[in-house]
Amino acid sequence: MIKVSSEEIDTGRLIEAAKQPDTGALVVFTGIARDDGIERIELEAYEEAAVMELEKIRNEAMDTYPVSSVSIVHRTGSLFVGETILVIIVGAPHRKEAFDACRYVIERIKQSVPIWKKEYRKDGCEWVRGEYPEWIE
């Protein structure tokens, strides 16, 4: 599953859906809004392009690593500390490949998916700069 949505993410349902007969390992990454001085964050996306880029990243991971499934769900909208922002679930016959592919997916999302984060603090707000590969800087 690839999805960008303002709805809460049902991680348990995603985990159950990711289980396949050849799955020996599921690696689940859950990104959560943390309390580092923020009151809330606002996530905006160019949804059509974000979904296309997430699909591209999933395909890259599946072509690069021997995994059986990759699911990515990213939230948009206003989120408060403790709320889930992102869930990535990678299924593979073995744990090493699942971990490697999951790490690949999260790093690629940070580099290229058109989703933007604005942090709101008591003293104001600011857009957070994304992480880019060296060739963009």
Side-chain angles (χ1 to χ4, degrees):
M1 167 180 282
I2 302 295
K3 187 175 181 182
V4 174
S5 174
S6 62
E7 299 173 12
E8 281 190 47
I9 301 172
D10 185 344
T11 304
R13 184 177 62 77
L14 292 172
I15 289 170
E16 287 306 312
K19 292 179 181 176
Q20 298 181 18
D22 67 339
T23 302
L26 285 177
V27 170
V28 180
F29 172 85
T30 305
I32 301 166
R34 69 182 175 278
D35 184 359
D36 60 356
I38 67 163
E39 294 180 335
R40 69 182 174 93
I41 60 173
E42 191 74 29
L43 295 161
E44 295 184 10
Y46 175 9
E47 191 171 331
E48 182 179 317
V51 168
M52 287 174 48
E53 188 65 19
L54 291 172
E55 289 172 345
K56 177 182 169 189
I57 292 167
R58 177 198 53 211
N59 294 341
E60 289 171 1
M62 293 189 74
D63 289 345
T64 304
Y65 301 92
V67 298
S68 52
S69 65
V70 175
S71 297
I72 309 166
V73 180
H74 205 299
R75 292 276 307 272
T76 56
S78 189
L79 301 174
F80 294 90
V81 170
E83 290 192 78
T84 300
I85 301 168
L86 168 69
V87 174
I88 301 166
I89 301 174
V90 178
H94 304 284
R95 69 182 178 276
K96 181 185 183 319
E97 292 80 6
F99 276 108
D100 291 346
C102 190
R103 171 85 187 244
Y104 174 84
V105 169
I106 187 60
E107 297 302 331
R108 289 285 291 118
I109 287 171
K110 294 280 192 178
Q111 292 173 350
S112 66
V113 178
I115 297 176
W116 303 278
K117 177 172 70 170
K118 189 174 192 178
E119 294 182 342
Y120 289 83
R121 302 174 182 280
K122 289 181 183 176
D123 60 346
C125 60
E126 69 177 335
W127 288 100
V128 177
R129 186 173 193 271
E131 299 174 20
Y132 304 101
E134 289 179 15
W135 57 268
I136 290 181
E137 307 231 62

